[in-house]
Amino acid sequence: MPSFRLPLAAAAFALAATSAGAQQLAPSPTLDAIKARGHLECGVHLGLPGFSFANDKGEWSGIDVDYCRALAAAILGDATKVKFTPTSVQQRWPVLQSGQVDLLSRNTTITFTRNATLGVNFQGINFYEGQTFVVRKGTAKVPKDLDGASVCVAAGSTEEKNAADWAKENGIKISIINFQKNDDAIAAYDAGRCDAYTAGIGALAGQRIKLKDPDNNIVMTETISNDPQGPTTRWGDERYQLVVRWVLNGMIAAEALGVTSKNVDEMKAKSQNAEVRRLLGVDGGFGAMMGLSNDWMYNAIKQVGNYGESYERTVGMSSPLKLARGKNELWTKGGLLFTSPFQ
């Protein structure tokens, strides 16, 4: 028996090395196209404060925008090498499927039907959303108070279906009024054409501050659904999907490991934590396995920050939205946010 152990071990090692090499050399038309054009094409929301929003100078900001910049830094070494394409609820899928953008990074709920029928893959969760309603003060406190109310919503959205399902399940009658764009739906609510507007609680926090009289409107805290959201790619090109998925994982891991945009240089030079060293490209050669430089996540963290830094400045307490972390806190601190290890 001992005579067989070394050959078997050697064969296993050779197989692992061959697999790693095959992955490293796997073609990636999307990565090749990004590198050739010199920038990432990112599909975002038409304009949702805290998530993806352009100011009067055309400067984009938001947690979804930050992710695109981190991905650009990982692939191209420069977080500014990204162009943003605003997409409506109806436009987002054709824009992605046609190749006009390299990914969607916008408030899009991960669902079975979309994954199975639209030719798209979801590459992780960057925001745990939950649907609720915005109403005028003094009209309703919880969703069930909306019996008999009219509700504005974007046509074809997850929220439209969720609201109908929730009302039916709870024996509540609501009149759903749909619009082609979220902006049209929220404008109709603001003009008094409906009693409530429904969307994710994070989205509503951003939309509320754009109303004519924000203080006269409240966002309910009770939710009627669970709507995780994350970056979305087309089917195929597994190596590119690997990059998209692990850049998100890397931002989350960086927060969990205490690596920030401010201390990343020191951590890269001095940390003896094996996972930190692999994350920052000191050991492991993880970047090379994907066809990137080994400082791929160092660049993303240095130029954009970890997940917690991004959350805080875009939707957290340092932002106008002032959303508590809640479900979007790390799992070690009572939230749902986690990542697989960098091993």
Side-chain angles (χ1 to χ4, degrees):
M1 289 297 292
S3 63
F4 288 96
R5 289 178 182 171
L6 283 176
L8 285 172
F13 179 81
L15 179 61
T18 301
S19 298
Q23 182 188 59
Q24 188 174 354
L25 297 173
S28 175
T30 311
L31 283 175
D32 290 346
I34 293 168
K35 291 176 181 179
R37 80 170 82 98
H39 69 267
L40 178 75
E41 291 280 358
C42 186
V44 293
H45 193 281
L46 289 170
L48 183 60
F51 292 84
S52 51
F53 186 78
N55 63 18
D56 293 340
K57 298 179 181 179
E59 300 166 333
W60 286 90
S61 64
I63 194 168
D64 293 330
V65 167
D66 273 3
Y67 171 76
C68 289
R69 291 197 171 117
L71 184 61
I75 296 173
L76 299 168
D78 187 341
T80 68
K81 301 297 185 181
V82 53
K83 292 185 178 179
F84 299 100
T85 298
T87 63
S88 68
V89 170
Q90 293 77 23
Q91 293 170 332
R92 55 187 167 174
W93 305 121
V95 165
L96 176 62
Q97 292 158 342
S98 68
Q100 183 177 340
V101 298
D102 301 311
L103 77 158
L104 291 178
S105 183
R106 71 187 305 287
N107 62 325
T108 296
T109 302
I110 300 168
T111 71
F112 172 86
T113 305
R114 288 171 173 173
N115 198 181
T117 66
L118 293 178
V120 301
N121 279 329
F122 300 98
Q123 302 302 334
I125 299 171
N126 80 325
F127 193 81
Y128 286 93
E129 182 67 287
Q131 184 176 338
T132 190
F133 303 86
V134 62
V135 295
R136 295 169 191 86
K137 281 185 177 179
T139 60
K141 293 182 179 180
V142 296
K144 287 187 178 181
D145 292 341
L146 293 173
D147 194 14
S150 57
V151 178
C152 285
V153 67
S157 64
T158 305
E159 290 81 9
E160 182 181 23
K161 183 174 180 359
N162 284 347
D165 289 347
W166 167 80
K168 183 177 180 180
E169 290 166 8
N170 288 275
I172 293 172
K173 293 183 179 180
I174 58 173
S175 299
I176 294 178
I177 306 173
N178 56 39
F179 298 82
Q180 286 301 302
K181 297 179 181 179
N182 280 299
D183 283 351
D184 293 339
I186 194 70
Y189 165 75
D190 205 19
R193 293 174 57 188
C194 42
D195 302 309
Y197 170 74
T198 186
I201 195 167
L204 289 177
Q207 289 160 331
R208 175 185 166 275
I209 62 177
K210 297 193 295 182
L211 298 176
K212 290 180 292 187
D213 185 6
D215 292 339
N216 191 43
N217 295 270
I218 60 169
V219 176
M220 293 182 179
T221 56
E222 182 180 323
T223 59
I224 65 171
S225 70
N226 178 39
D227 301 295
Q229 302 172 353
T232 311
T233 59
R234 293 179 291 279
W235 279 358
D237 201 339
E238 286 80 5
R239 184 153 64 94
Y240 172 64
Q241 293 188 53
L242 184 75
V243 173
V244 174
R245 182 164 59 254
W246 282 93
V247 168
L248 175 58
N249 286 344
M251 295 180 74
I252 298 169
E255 181 182 10
L257 294 166
V259 183
T260 71
S261 59
K262 295 180 176 62
N263 71 13
V264 66
D265 288 308
E266 181 180 5
M267 294 289 273
K268 184 177 182 179
K270 299 180 180 179
S271 178
Q272 295 304 306
N273 181 293
E275 196 166 358
V276 169
R277 292 173 67 82
R278 289 189 289 264
L279 176 72
L280 299 181
V282 179
D283 296 330
F286 284 10
M289 294 180 190
M290 300 182 291
L292 306 178
S293 66
N294 284 326
D295 58 1
W296 61 295
M297 275 312 304
Y298 165 83
N299 290 331
I301 297 164
K302 177 71 173 179
Q303 297 177 39
V304 179
N306 66 33
Y307 179 88
E309 289 178 282
S310 175
Y311 187 100
E312 181 64 20
R313 68 171 168 261
T314 57
V315 298
M317 294 304 172
S318 295
S319 76
L321 274 65
K322 300 194 179 305
L323 286 177
R325 287 288 292 266
K327 293 179 181 179
N328 294 292
E329 183 59 91
L330 294 171
W331 71 273
T332 53
K333 298 180 179 180
L336 299 178
L337 206 67
F338 77 98
T339 178
S340 302
F342 276 72
Q343 292 182 359

